[in-house]
């Protein structure tokens, strides 16, 4: 079992953890669901958290079994959802990220923790750049780097490899059940925040990212975290 004191790397999910882009995902899926006359609410959207775009498309369609779409149509609708999502993202600036988040990343980095983003989103690079978060991490692994989305641990395993830290020394911060499950399968320490708070899969739930500076308060002797 992963020990808090052994942690030398922290892998952050993006949407719903570092910033509230999860609301935009929901708004874009909701617009598509309305268009396809599929009932869809925020509770349904919980299962979409951490899950790849095309897997979300399948989840959405599973709510209206009689609607039979070809693969090309599914891709076209998922692309339309992404275009809506991207237009919502156009308005984000560095101010979209809470000061608590930036300060937490700064402090943890200064203490020598290795930091990564581990996200299923193919829009991660765009979001991190627009919000000026891209320089805050030692590694960024996203939907473009993986072939299996959460709950498969691939994204976190690749992030740990990129950081050069073994899984048993990595903590994962997640707002999704799928992400917590991925962390557990990957042999990492799962910490829940936001919508995933209180999940039985998490070793700990936190109210805000700022709490991490109390939990991970050691100075890393070896900056590589090995
Ligand atoms: C994150 C979000 C999911 C989203 C997935 C793919 O994991 O939590 O809700 O479906 O990324 O996002 P993308 O931006 O590539 O459509
Ligand atoms: Mg998330």
């Amino acid at each position: 079992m992963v020990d808090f004191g052994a942690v030398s790397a922290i892998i952050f999910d993006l949407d719903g953890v570092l910033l509230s882009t999860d609301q935009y995902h929901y708004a874009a899926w909701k617009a598509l669901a309305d268009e396809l006359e599929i009932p869809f609410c925020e509770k349904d959207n919980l299962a979409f958290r951490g899950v790849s775009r095309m897997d979300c498309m399948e989840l959405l369609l599973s709510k209206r079994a009689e609607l039979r779409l070809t693969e090309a149509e599914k891709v076209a609708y998922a692309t339309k959802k992404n275009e809506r999502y991207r237009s919502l993202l156009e308005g984000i600036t560095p101010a979209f990220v809470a000061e608590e988040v930036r300060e937490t990343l700064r402090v943890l980095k200064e203490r020598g923790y290795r930091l990564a983003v581990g996200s299923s989103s193919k829009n991660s690079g765009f979001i991190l750049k627009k919000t000026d978060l891209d320089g805050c991490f030692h590694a960024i692994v996203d939907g473009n780097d993986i072939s299996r989305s959460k709950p498969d641990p691939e994204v976190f395993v690749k992030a740990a490899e990129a950081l050069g830290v073994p899984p048993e020394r990595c903590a994962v911060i997640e707002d999704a059940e799928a992400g917590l499950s991925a962390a557990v399968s990957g042999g990492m320490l799962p910490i829940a925040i936001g919508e995933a708070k209180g999940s039985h899969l998490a070793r700990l739930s936190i109210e805000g990212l700022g709490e991490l500076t109390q939990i991970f308060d050691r100075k890393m002797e070896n900056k590589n975290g090995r």
Side-chain angles (χ1 to χ4, degrees), residues 13 15-16 22 25 29 45 48-54 56 78 81-82 85 89 119-124 127 143 150 175-176:
D13 173 49
D15 301 305
D22 52 320
H25 274 297
W29 282 120
N45 189 61
F48 284 42
R49 287 175 185 261
V51 175
S52 73
R53 195 180 309 159
M54 286 313 294
C56 288
K81 178 268 169 180
N82 192 52
Y85 178 58
L89 290 179
S119 167
S120 300
S121 174
K122 294 184 172 173
N123 291 300
S124 298
I127 294 168
K150 302 167 190 174
D175 71 317

Side-chain angles (χ1 to χ4, degrees), residues 163-213:
L163 293 175
V165 178
E168 64 273 17
R169 298 197 68 185
C170 294
V172 167
I173 320 299
E174 262 292 350
D175 71 317
E177 286 286 315
L180 291 173
S181 188
V184 173
S185 306
M188 302 175 190
L189 183 104
I191 298 180
I193 193 168
E195 295 294 340
K197 258 184 321 190
S199 165
H200 72 284
L201 292 171
R203 284 277 299 287
L204 178 75
S205 289
I206 56 173
E207 292 292 329
L209 280 194
E211 288 173 45
L212 295 179
T213 59

Side-chain angles (χ1 to χ4, degrees), residues 124-170:
S124 298
F126 178 76
I127 294 168
L128 292 168
K129 199 164 189 328
K130 271 196 93 78
T131 53
D132 242 358
L133 276 176
D134 47 352
C136 299
F137 301 93
H138 302 98
I140 294 167
V141 180
D142 70 15
N144 299 296
D145 306 310
I146 55 172
S147 51
R148 299 175 303 278
S149 92
K150 302 167 190 174
D152 190 285
E154 185 181 8
V155 72
F156 296 143
V157 169
K158 285 200 165 159
E161 280 169 10
L163 293 175
V165 178
E168 64 273 17
R169 298 197 68 185
C170 294

Side-chain angles (χ1 to χ4, degrees), residues 16 32 38 104 152 161 218:
L32 182 63
I38 299 174
T104 300
D152 190 285
E161 280 169 10
R218 298 190 312 144

